[in-house]
Amino acid sequence: MHCASRLAEEGFQATCFEEHSTIGRPVQCAGLISRSGVEDLGLRLDNSIVNQVRGAKIFSPGGESLTVERKETVAFVVDRLVFDQNIYKKAKRVGVEVKMDSKLIDIRNNSLFMQNQGHGELVKSQITVGADGANSIVRHALFPKIQENGFVQGFQIRAQGHFDKNLVELHFGEFAPGFFAWVVPESSTVARIGLGVRLGQSAAKGLQQFLQQRQLKIRTLSKVGGLIPISQPAKELVKGNVLLVGDAAAQTKATSGGGLIFGLKAAEACADTIATHLKHKQSLASYSRNLADINKELGLHWKIYSYTQGLRPEKFDSLFAKARDAGIEKFLEDCGDMDRPGSFMRKMLLKPKMWGLLPAVLKTI
Ligand SMILES: Cc1cc2nc3c(=O)[nH]c(=O)nc-3n(C[C@H](O)[C@H](O)[C@H](O)COP(=O)(O)OP(=O)(O)OC[C@H]3O[C@@H](n4cnc5c(N)ncnc54)[C@H](O)[C@@H]3O)c2cc1C
Protein backbone atom coordinates (compact mmCIF):
# COMPACT_ATOMS: atom_id res chain seq x y z
CA MET A 1 0.00 0.00 0.00
CA HIS A 2 3.00 2.24 0.65
CA CYS A 3 4.08 1.60 -2.95
CA ALA A 4 0.58 2.49 -4.21
CA SER A 5 0.63 5.73 -2.17
CA ARG A 6 3.93 6.79 -3.72
CA LEU A 7 2.51 6.14 -7.20
CA ALA A 8 -0.71 8.02 -6.46
CA GLU A 9 1.37 10.96 -5.20
CA GLU A 10 3.12 10.93 -8.60
CA GLY A 11 -0.29 11.20 -10.28
CA PHE A 12 -0.80 7.54 -11.30
CA GLN A 13 -3.96 5.55 -10.69
CA ALA A 14 -3.29 2.80 -8.13
CA THR A 15 -5.67 0.18 -6.74
CA CYS A 16 -4.98 -2.18 -3.80
CA PHE A 17 -6.83 -5.46 -3.34
CA GLU A 18 -7.02 -6.80 0.23
CA GLU A 19 -8.49 -10.20 1.02
CA HIS A 20 -9.61 -9.24 4.55
CA SER A 21 -12.37 -6.86 5.62
CA THR A 22 -10.11 -4.91 8.04
CA ILE A 23 -6.66 -3.52 7.21
CA GLY A 24 -3.99 -4.86 9.57
CA ARG A 25 -5.89 -7.90 10.87
CA PRO A 26 -4.86 -10.51 11.78
CA VAL A 27 -1.77 -9.04 13.51
CA GLN A 28 1.22 -11.40 13.10
CA CYS A 29 4.14 -9.29 14.26
CA ALA A 30 6.22 -8.23 17.30
CA GLY A 31 6.11 -4.66 16.01
CA LEU A 32 9.78 -3.84 16.66
CA ILE A 33 11.27 -1.31 14.24
CA SER A 34 14.55 0.58 14.31
CA ARG A 35 14.57 4.29 14.96
CA SER A 36 17.16 4.73 12.17
CA GLY A 37 14.81 2.98 9.72
CA VAL A 38 11.89 5.17 10.81
CA GLU A 39 14.04 8.26 10.31
CA ASP A 40 15.37 7.09 6.90
CA LEU A 41 11.79 6.61 5.71
CA GLY A 42 10.49 9.81 7.31
CA LEU A 43 7.70 7.76 8.91
CA ARG A 44 5.30 9.43 11.32
CA LEU A 45 4.47 6.76 13.87
CA ASP A 46 1.97 8.97 15.73
CA ASN A 47 -0.44 6.96 17.83
CA SER A 48 1.07 3.58 16.89
CA ILE A 49 3.98 3.78 19.40
CA VAL A 50 3.48 1.47 22.38
CA ASN A 51 7.01 1.55 23.84
CA GLN A 52 10.52 2.77 23.06
CA VAL A 53 13.54 0.57 23.73
CA ARG A 54 17.18 1.51 24.24
CA GLY A 55 18.93 -1.74 23.39
CA ALA A 56 19.01 -5.50 23.64
CA LYS A 57 20.18 -8.32 25.84
CA ILE A 58 21.33 -11.32 23.81
CA PHE A 59 21.72 -14.82 25.30
CA SER A 60 23.80 -17.64 23.81
CA PRO A 61 22.56 -21.27 24.05
CA GLY A 62 24.63 -21.83 27.21
CA GLY A 63 23.37 -18.63 28.86
CA GLU A 64 26.32 -16.29 28.11
CA SER A 65 24.90 -12.82 27.62
CA LEU A 66 25.74 -9.54 25.94
CA THR A 67 23.95 -6.29 26.80
CA VAL A 68 23.95 -3.38 24.40
CA GLU A 69 22.17 -0.36 25.84
CA ARG A 70 22.17 3.22 24.70
CA LYS A 71 21.01 6.33 26.56
CA GLU A 72 18.54 7.17 23.82
CA THR A 73 15.79 5.25 21.97
CA VAL A 74 17.11 2.82 19.34
CA ALA A 75 13.85 1.11 18.40
CA PHE A 76 10.10 1.53 18.69
CA VAL A 77 7.57 -1.09 19.66
CA VAL A 78 4.46 -0.33 17.64
CA ASP A 79 0.85 -1.44 17.62
CA ARG A 80 0.97 -3.16 14.23
CA LEU A 81 -2.76 -2.76 13.66
CA VAL A 82 -2.58 1.03 14.16
CA PHE A 83 0.69 1.16 12.14
CA ASP A 84 -1.00 -0.54 9.15
CA GLN A 85 -4.13 1.55 9.51
CA ASN A 86 -2.03 4.73 9.39
CA ILE A 87 -0.50 3.55 6.09
CA TYR A 88 -4.01 2.79 4.82
CA LYS A 89 -5.35 6.22 5.85
CA LYS A 90 -2.48 7.92 4.04
CA ALA A 91 -3.15 5.81 0.93
CA LYS A 92 -6.83 6.86 0.95
CA ARG A 93 -5.82 10.51 1.46
CA VAL A 94 -3.56 10.54 -1.60
CA GLY A 95 -6.16 8.86 -3.81
CA VAL A 96 -5.38 5.11 -3.78
CA GLU A 97 -8.46 2.99 -4.39
CA VAL A 98 -8.58 0.18 -1.80
CA LYS A 99 -10.85 -2.79 -2.47
CA MET A 100 -11.50 -4.86 0.67
CA ASP A 101 -12.69 -8.48 0.73
CA SER A 102 -10.95 -8.95 -2.63
CA LYS A 103 -8.82 -12.06 -2.76
CA LEU A 104 -6.40 -12.79 -5.59
CA ILE A 105 -6.87 -16.41 -6.67
CA ASP A 106 -4.53 -16.52 -9.65
CA ILE A 107 -2.56 -14.30 -11.99
CA ARG A 108 -1.56 -14.66 -15.65
CA ASN A 109 0.38 -11.76 -17.19
CA ASN A 110 -1.91 -8.77 -16.76
CA SER A 111 -5.02 -10.75 -15.79
CA LEU A 112 -5.90 -10.95 -12.11
CA PHE A 113 -8.47 -13.56 -11.11
CA MET A 114 -10.18 -12.15 -8.04
CA GLN A 115 -12.80 -13.43 -5.64
CA ASN A 116 -15.03 -10.80 -4.01
CA GLN A 117 -17.30 -12.20 -1.30
CA GLY A 118 -17.70 -15.45 -3.22
CA HIS A 119 -18.04 -13.86 -6.67
CA GLY A 120 -15.36 -14.28 -9.31
CA GLU A 121 -14.04 -11.23 -11.16
CA LEU A 122 -11.39 -10.74 -13.84
CA VAL A 123 -9.34 -7.56 -13.45
CA LYS A 124 -6.93 -6.27 -16.09
CA SER A 125 -3.91 -4.43 -14.75
CA GLN A 126 -1.20 -2.54 -16.64
CA ILE A 127 1.41 -3.26 -13.93
CA THR A 128 0.94 -5.55 -10.91
CA VAL A 129 2.86 -5.49 -7.62
CA GLY A 130 2.66 -8.70 -5.60
CA ALA A 131 2.72 -7.43 -2.00
CA ASP A 132 0.73 -10.38 -0.71
CA GLY A 133 3.00 -11.52 2.09
CA ALA A 134 4.96 -14.66 2.92
CA ASN A 135 2.39 -17.01 1.32
CA SER A 136 2.28 -14.91 -1.85
CA ILE A 137 0.04 -16.25 -4.61
CA VAL A 138 1.87 -13.99 -7.08
CA ARG A 139 5.22 -15.55 -6.14
CA HIS A 140 3.85 -19.10 -6.36
CA ALA A 141 2.33 -18.39 -9.78
CA LEU A 142 5.14 -16.48 -11.47
CA PHE A 143 8.41 -16.74 -9.56
CA PRO A 144 9.05 -20.46 -9.05
CA LYS A 145 12.80 -19.88 -8.75
CA ILE A 146 12.42 -18.02 -5.44
CA GLN A 147 13.11 -20.54 -2.69
CA GLU A 148 9.89 -21.96 -1.36
CA ASN A 149 11.62 -23.47 1.66
CA GLY A 150 13.37 -20.30 2.84
CA PHE A 151 11.06 -19.73 5.82
CA VAL A 152 10.87 -20.19 9.55
CA GLN A 153 7.62 -20.75 11.40
CA GLY A 154 6.99 -17.92 13.87
CA PHE A 155 4.82 -18.17 16.97
CA GLN A 156 4.20 -15.43 19.50
CA ILE A 157 2.21 -14.80 22.65
CA ARG A 158 1.30 -11.55 24.34
CA ALA A 159 1.84 -12.10 28.03
CA GLN A 160 1.73 -10.51 31.46
CA GLY A 161 4.81 -10.80 33.68
CA HIS A 162 7.80 -8.76 34.82
CA PHE A 163 9.97 -7.31 32.05
CA ASP A 164 12.66 -4.70 31.53
CA LYS A 165 10.73 -2.18 29.45
CA ASN A 166 13.95 -0.65 28.07
CA LEU A 167 15.49 -3.78 26.57
CA VAL A 168 14.50 -6.37 24.01
CA GLU A 169 15.76 -9.91 24.73
CA LEU A 170 17.01 -12.40 22.15
CA HIS A 171 17.68 -16.01 23.21
CA PHE A 172 19.45 -18.63 21.13
CA GLY A 173 19.03 -22.27 22.06
CA GLU A 174 17.73 -25.71 21.11
CA PHE A 175 14.14 -24.52 21.76
CA ALA A 176 14.38 -22.44 18.54
CA PRO A 177 16.18 -24.59 15.92
CA GLY A 178 17.11 -22.42 12.95
CA PHE A 179 16.22 -19.14 14.65
CA PHE A 180 15.86 -17.64 18.17
CA ALA A 181 13.33 -16.56 20.79
CA TRP A 182 12.47 -12.94 21.55
CA VAL A 183 10.94 -10.88 24.35
CA VAL A 184 9.72 -7.49 23.11
CA PRO A 185 8.36 -5.41 26.02
CA GLU A 186 5.25 -3.29 25.61
CA SER A 187 5.73 -2.12 29.21
CA SER A 188 7.23 -3.46 32.45
CA THR A 189 4.23 -5.79 32.82
CA VAL A 190 3.31 -6.87 29.25
CA ALA A 191 5.54 -8.30 26.51
CA ARG A 192 5.37 -10.03 23.14
CA ILE A 193 7.23 -13.31 23.56
CA GLY A 194 7.88 -15.46 20.55
CA LEU A 195 10.24 -17.60 18.55
CA GLY A 196 10.92 -19.02 15.14
CA VAL A 197 11.74 -22.61 14.24
CA ARG A 198 12.69 -24.47 11.05
CA LEU A 199 9.70 -25.63 9.00
CA GLY A 200 8.51 -29.03 10.19
CA GLN A 201 9.30 -28.31 13.89
CA SER A 202 6.67 -27.19 16.39
CA ALA A 203 7.01 -23.50 17.28
CA ALA A 204 4.37 -23.76 20.04
CA LYS A 205 6.30 -26.58 21.73
CA GLY A 206 9.54 -24.65 21.30
CA LEU A 207 8.02 -21.65 23.07
CA GLN A 208 6.85 -23.84 25.94
CA GLN A 209 10.37 -25.26 26.24
CA PHE A 210 11.87 -21.75 26.13
CA LEU A 211 9.57 -20.43 28.88
CA GLN A 212 10.44 -23.40 31.10
CA GLN A 213 14.16 -23.31 30.43
CA ARG A 214 14.48 -19.58 31.09
CA GLN A 215 11.99 -19.83 34.00
CA LEU A 216 9.78 -17.02 32.75
CA LYS A 217 6.65 -16.74 34.88
CA ILE A 218 3.95 -15.30 32.68
CA ARG A 219 0.21 -15.29 32.01
CA THR A 220 -0.71 -15.67 28.34
CA LEU A 221 -3.14 -13.06 26.98
CA SER A 222 -3.21 -14.03 23.28
CA LYS A 223 -1.37 -16.09 20.61
CA VAL A 224 -0.45 -15.59 16.94
CA GLY A 225 1.61 -17.44 14.38
CA GLY A 226 2.96 -16.83 10.91
CA LEU A 227 5.64 -17.61 8.38
CA ILE A 228 8.80 -15.50 8.29
CA PRO A 229 10.84 -15.50 5.05
CA ILE A 230 14.51 -16.16 5.81
CA SER A 231 16.70 -16.38 2.75
CA GLN A 232 19.25 -14.53 0.75
CA PRO A 233 17.91 -11.64 -1.34
CA ALA A 234 16.05 -12.93 -4.39
CA LYS A 235 17.74 -12.05 -7.70
CA GLU A 236 14.70 -11.97 -9.94
CA LEU A 237 11.75 -9.90 -8.74
CA VAL A 238 10.29 -8.79 -12.08
CA LYS A 239 8.49 -10.93 -14.61
CA GLY A 240 6.87 -9.13 -17.53
CA ASN A 241 4.74 -6.43 -15.95
CA VAL A 242 4.69 -8.01 -12.46
CA LEU A 243 6.96 -7.05 -9.54
CA LEU A 244 7.27 -8.49 -6.03
CA VAL A 245 7.78 -6.54 -2.80
CA GLY A 246 7.89 -7.11 0.97
CA ASP A 247 7.57 -10.60 2.43
CA ALA A 248 6.40 -11.86 -0.97
CA ALA A 249 9.93 -10.98 -2.15
CA ALA A 250 11.59 -12.22 1.09
CA GLN A 251 12.79 -8.68 1.89
CA THR A 252 13.29 -9.47 5.59
CA LYS A 253 16.46 -9.33 7.69
CA ALA A 254 17.59 -12.96 8.02
CA THR A 255 19.19 -12.20 11.41
CA SER A 256 15.91 -11.12 13.01
CA GLY A 257 13.01 -11.75 10.62
CA GLY A 258 12.22 -8.02 10.71
CA GLY A 259 10.60 -7.02 7.43
CA LEU A 260 8.78 -3.77 8.10
CA ILE A 261 11.56 -1.25 7.43
CA PHE A 262 13.18 -3.07 4.51
CA GLY A 263 9.77 -3.90 3.01
CA LEU A 264 8.80 -0.22 3.10
CA LYS A 265 12.14 0.86 1.63
CA ALA A 266 11.72 -1.74 -1.12
CA ALA A 267 8.16 -0.47 -1.73
CA GLU A 268 9.64 2.97 -2.43
CA ALA A 269 12.22 1.48 -4.80
CA CYS A 270 9.39 -0.43 -6.50
CA ALA A 271 7.24 2.72 -6.88
CA ASP A 272 10.20 4.70 -8.26
CA THR A 273 10.87 1.90 -10.78
CA ILE A 274 7.25 1.88 -11.96
CA ALA A 275 7.01 5.68 -12.13
CA THR A 276 10.20 5.90 -14.23
CA HIS A 277 8.92 3.10 -16.45
CA LEU A 278 5.60 4.85 -17.06
CA LYS A 279 7.13 8.30 -17.54
CA HIS A 280 10.31 7.46 -19.47
CA LYS A 281 9.73 3.92 -20.73
CA GLN A 282 12.70 2.62 -18.68
CA SER A 283 12.57 -1.15 -18.27
CA LEU A 284 10.98 -2.52 -15.09
CA ALA A 285 14.12 -4.66 -14.80
CA SER A 286 15.80 -1.57 -13.27
CA TYR A 287 14.00 -2.58 -10.03
CA SER A 288 16.97 -4.79 -9.11
CA ARG A 289 19.34 -1.82 -9.62
CA ASN A 290 17.10 0.31 -7.42
CA LEU A 291 17.25 -2.41 -4.75
CA ALA A 292 21.06 -2.60 -4.78
CA ASP A 293 21.65 -0.85 -1.41
CA ILE A 294 18.79 -2.73 0.28
CA ASN A 295 20.01 -6.07 -1.09
CA LYS A 296 23.57 -5.35 0.04
CA GLU A 297 22.43 -5.05 3.66
CA LEU A 298 19.96 -7.94 3.36
CA GLY A 299 22.76 -10.06 1.90
CA LEU A 300 24.96 -9.29 4.89
CA HIS A 301 22.14 -10.19 7.29
CA TRP A 302 21.86 -13.50 5.42
CA LYS A 303 25.61 -14.17 5.73
CA ILE A 304 25.60 -13.42 9.48
CA TYR A 305 22.54 -15.67 9.90
CA SER A 306 24.16 -18.51 7.93
CA TYR A 307 27.38 -18.21 9.94
CA THR A 308 25.68 -18.22 13.35
CA GLN A 309 23.36 -21.09 12.37
CA GLY A 310 26.41 -23.16 11.43
CA LEU A 311 27.95 -22.77 14.92
CA ARG A 312 27.77 -25.57 17.46
CA PRO A 313 26.27 -24.36 20.79
CA GLU A 314 29.68 -24.48 22.60
CA LYS A 315 31.26 -22.43 19.80
CA PHE A 316 28.38 -19.93 20.06
CA ASP A 317 29.01 -19.61 23.82
CA SER A 318 32.75 -19.11 23.37
CA LEU A 319 32.18 -16.53 20.61
CA PHE A 320 29.93 -14.58 23.02
CA ALA A 321 32.58 -14.70 25.76
CA LYS A 322 35.30 -13.66 23.32
CA ALA A 323 33.17 -10.80 21.96
CA ARG A 324 32.40 -9.56 25.47
CA ASP A 325 36.09 -9.65 26.44
CA ALA A 326 36.92 -7.70 23.27
CA GLY A 327 34.50 -4.96 24.38
CA ILE A 328 31.75 -5.62 21.81
CA GLU A 329 29.01 -4.27 24.12
CA LYS A 330 30.57 -0.78 24.32
CA PHE A 331 31.48 -0.94 20.62
CA LEU A 332 27.88 -1.73 19.59
CA GLU A 333 26.54 0.93 21.97
CA ASP A 334 28.65 3.44 20.06
CA CYS A 335 28.44 2.08 16.49
CA GLY A 336 25.71 -0.58 16.26
CA ASP A 337 22.64 -0.35 14.04
CA MET A 338 20.15 -3.25 14.05
CA ASP A 339 19.38 -2.69 10.36
CA ARG A 340 22.83 -1.99 8.92
CA PRO A 341 25.49 -4.53 9.89
CA GLY A 342 27.63 -3.24 7.01
CA SER A 343 28.34 0.06 8.74
CA PHE A 344 29.52 -1.39 12.05
CA MET A 345 31.50 -4.23 10.46
CA ARG A 346 33.58 -1.64 8.62
CA LYS A 347 34.09 0.31 11.87
CA MET A 348 35.33 -2.90 13.56
CA LEU A 349 38.38 -2.83 11.33
CA LEU A 350 39.36 0.52 12.86
CA LYS A 351 39.27 -0.75 16.47
CA PRO A 352 42.33 -2.84 17.41
CA LYS A 353 40.44 -4.32 20.39
CA MET A 354 37.97 -5.86 17.93
CA TRP A 355 40.59 -7.52 15.74
CA GLY A 356 40.34 -10.75 17.77
CA LEU A 357 36.83 -11.12 16.32
CA LEU A 358 37.96 -10.64 12.74
CA PRO A 359 38.25 -14.37 11.92
CA ALA A 360 34.54 -14.74 12.77
CA VAL A 361 33.67 -11.60 10.79
CA LEU A 362 35.71 -12.81 7.82
CA LYS A 363 34.01 -16.22 7.90
CA THR A 364 30.67 -14.39 7.82
CA ILE A 365 31.70 -12.34 4.82
C1 LIG B 1 5.55 -13.73 14.59
C2 LIG B 1 6.14 -12.63 13.72
C3 LIG B 1 6.78 -11.55 14.33
C4 LIG B 1 7.34 -10.53 13.54
N1 LIG B 1 7.93 -9.47 14.15
C5 LIG B 1 8.44 -8.46 13.41
C6 LIG B 1 9.04 -7.32 14.03
O1 LIG B 1 9.10 -7.21 15.26
N2 LIG B 1 9.53 -6.33 13.24
C7 LIG B 1 9.48 -6.41 11.86
O2 LIG B 1 9.97 -5.48 11.19
N3 LIG B 1 8.92 -7.48 11.25
C8 LIG B 1 8.40 -8.49 11.99
N4 LIG B 1 7.81 -9.57 11.37
C9 LIG B 1 7.77 -9.59 9.91
C10 LIG B 1 6.71 -8.62 9.40
O3 LIG B 1 5.48 -8.90 10.01
C11 LIG B 1 6.61 -8.74 7.88
O4 LIG B 1 7.90 -8.60 7.33
C12 LIG B 1 5.68 -7.70 7.28
O5 LIG B 1 4.37 -7.86 7.76
C13 LIG B 1 5.67 -7.84 5.76
O6 LIG B 1 4.75 -6.94 5.22
P1 LIG B 1 4.07 -7.27 3.81
O7 LIG B 1 3.16 -6.12 3.55
O8 LIG B 1 5.08 -7.64 2.82
O9 LIG B 1 3.22 -8.58 4.08
P2 LIG B 1 1.92 -8.77 5.08
O10 LIG B 1 2.10 -7.89 6.25
O11 LIG B 1 1.81 -10.21 5.22
O12 LIG B 1 0.78 -8.15 4.18
C14 LIG B 1 0.28 -8.83 3.07
C15 LIG B 1 -1.15 -8.35 2.85
O13 LIG B 1 -1.65 -8.96 1.67
C16 LIG B 1 -2.92 -9.54 1.96
N5 LIG B 1 -3.05 -10.72 1.10
C17 LIG B 1 -2.35 -11.86 1.17
N6 LIG B 1 -2.73 -12.71 0.19
C18 LIG B 1 -3.69 -12.06 -0.50
C19 LIG B 1 -4.48 -12.42 -1.65
N7 LIG B 1 -4.34 -13.61 -2.26
N8 LIG B 1 -5.39 -11.53 -2.11
C20 LIG B 1 -5.54 -10.31 -1.50
N9 LIG B 1 -4.84 -9.93 -0.42
C21 LIG B 1 -3.91 -10.80 0.07
C22 LIG B 1 -2.88 -9.90 3.44
O14 LIG B 1 -4.17 -9.98 3.99
C23 LIG B 1 -2.08 -8.73 4.01
O15 LIG B 1 -2.90 -7.64 4.32
C24 LIG B 1 7.25 -10.60 12.12
C25 LIG B 1 6.60 -11.69 11.52
C26 LIG B 1 6.05 -12.68 12.32
C27 LIG B 1 5.33 -13.84 11.64
Side-chain angles (χ1 to χ4, degrees):
M1 207 170 286
H2 189 56
C3 175
S5 286
R6 297 273 288 202
L7 286 167
E9 281 172 326
E10 292 267 341
F12 299 106
Q13 189 202 331
T15 305
C16 287
F17 299 95
E18 166 55 51
E19 64 177 323
H20 293 109
S21 50
T22 311
I23 293 291
R25 276 197 215 283
V27 173
Q28 294 166 309
C29 188
L32 184 72
I33 48 176
S34 67
R35 177 176 163 180
S36 65
V38 168
E39 287 172 357
D40 286 352
L41 285 157
L43 283 181
R44 289 190 47 202
L45 296 178
D46 300 326
N47 52 343
S48 66
I49 298 177
V50 172
N51 188 18
Q52 307 195 19
V53 293
R54 292 197 268 113
K57 197 161 184 176
I58 312 167
F59 296 85
S60 74
E64 293 279 351
S65 74
L66 296 172
T67 303
V68 181
E69 186 170 6
R70 289 225 178 119
K71 290 195 176 62
E72 72 279 0
T73 297
V74 294
F76 299 99
V77 182
V78 296
D79 180 325
R80 180 67 199 272
L81 177 68
V82 179
F83 182 85
D84 282 15
Q85 297 242 341
N86 286 346
I87 290 178
Y88 166 65
K89 282 180 197 154
K90 175 169 181 205
K92 296 287 284 179
R93 233 179 12 251
V94 297
V96 175
E97 184 183 10
V98 182
K99 294 198 172 177
M100 309 297 296
D101 291 312
S102 279
K103 183 178 170 69
L104 178 80
I105 304 297
D106 200 0
I107 173 167
R108 309 253 167 88
N109 303 320
N110 60 345
S111 300
L112 312 182
F113 299 88
M114 308 297 306
Q115 199 170 61
N116 305 321
Q117 294 169 330
H119 300 289
E121 190 190 348
L122 176 65
V123 175
K124 293 283 182 188
S125 145
Q126 188 181 353
I127 293 172
T128 305
V129 176
D132 48 346
N135 285 311
S136 170
I137 300 260
V138 180
R139 188 185 66 240
H140 287 302
L142 298 176
F143 298 84
K145 279 196 197 147
I146 299 183
Q147 268 190 333
E148 290 295 338
N149 58 354
F151 295 94
V152 298
Q153 178 63 50
F155 181 71
Q156 178 178 278
I157 57 172
R158 188 164 174 267
Q160 274 180 336
H162 295 291
F163 309 102
D164 182 341
K165 84 186 274 285
N166 296 311
L167 293 179
V168 167
E169 287 181 18
L170 308 180
H171 297 254
F172 293 87
E174 66 202 6
F175 41 76
F179 214 53
F180 62 89
W182 61 84
V183 179
V184 173
E186 287 185 13
S187 65
S188 53
T189 54
V190 176
R192 301 162 187 178
I193 306 176
L195 51 58
V197 296
R198 268 186 219 107
L199 292 189
Q201 313 261 353
S202 167
K205 269 193 196 151
L207 189 67
Q208 228 24 58
Q209 203 186 334
F210 164 66
L211 294 171
Q212 275 164 12
Q213 204 183 97
R214 298 292 152 108
Q215 297 182 333
L216 283 173
K217 291 196 176 48
I218 49 114
R219 191 171 80 84
T220 302
L221 301 172
S222 58
K223 303 175 184 180
V224 292
L227 278 184
I228 307 176
I230 300 294
S231 67
Q232 50 188 323
K235 289 200 175 73
E236 211 187 297
L237 292 174
V238 182
K239 188 147 191 195
N241 63 346
V242 181
L243 303 89
L244 284 185
V245 79
D247 274 19
Q251 286 159 338
T252 47
K253 296 179 283 180
T255 51
S256 70
L260 283 172
I261 294 295
F262 279 90
L264 288 169
K265 286 184 176 177
E268 296 191 349
C270 187
D272 291 349
T273 307
I274 295 170
T276 316
H277 171 74
L278 293 172
K279 280 187 207 157
H280 308 295
K281 304 222 174 329
Q282 194 181 77
S283 164
L284 289 173
S286 63
Y287 183 34
S288 51
R289 236 187 356 263
N290 295 340
L291 285 174
D293 289 347
I294 293 170
N295 280 347
K296 206 164 146 196
E297 289 298 342
L298 289 179
L300 207 42
H301 279 281
W302 169 251
K303 283 175 180 160
I304 296 171
Y305 170 81
S306 305
Y307 173 70
T308 53
Q309 288 303 320
L311 291 176
R312 290 191 314 278
E314 323 79 73
K315 188 85 181 122
F316 217 133
D317 294 337
S318 69
L319 185 64
F320 263 54
K322 202 170 172 182
R324 197 183 39 240
D325 294 346
I328 194 90
E329 290 161 316
K330 173 82 178 70
F331 173 73
L332 289 177
E333 269 161 40
D334 295 340
C335 312
D337 183 318
M338 65 195 254
D339 283 347
R340 301 190 198 105
S343 70
F344 69 76
M345 279 182 150
R346 274 189 297 278
K347 286 177 193 153
M348 271 176 118
L349 298 173
L350 304 173
K351 300 259 177 190
K353 268 187 95 176
M354 293 289 120
W355 289 354
L357 296 176
L358 281 181
V361 173
L362 288 173
K363 272 187 209 148
T364 306
I365 298 167

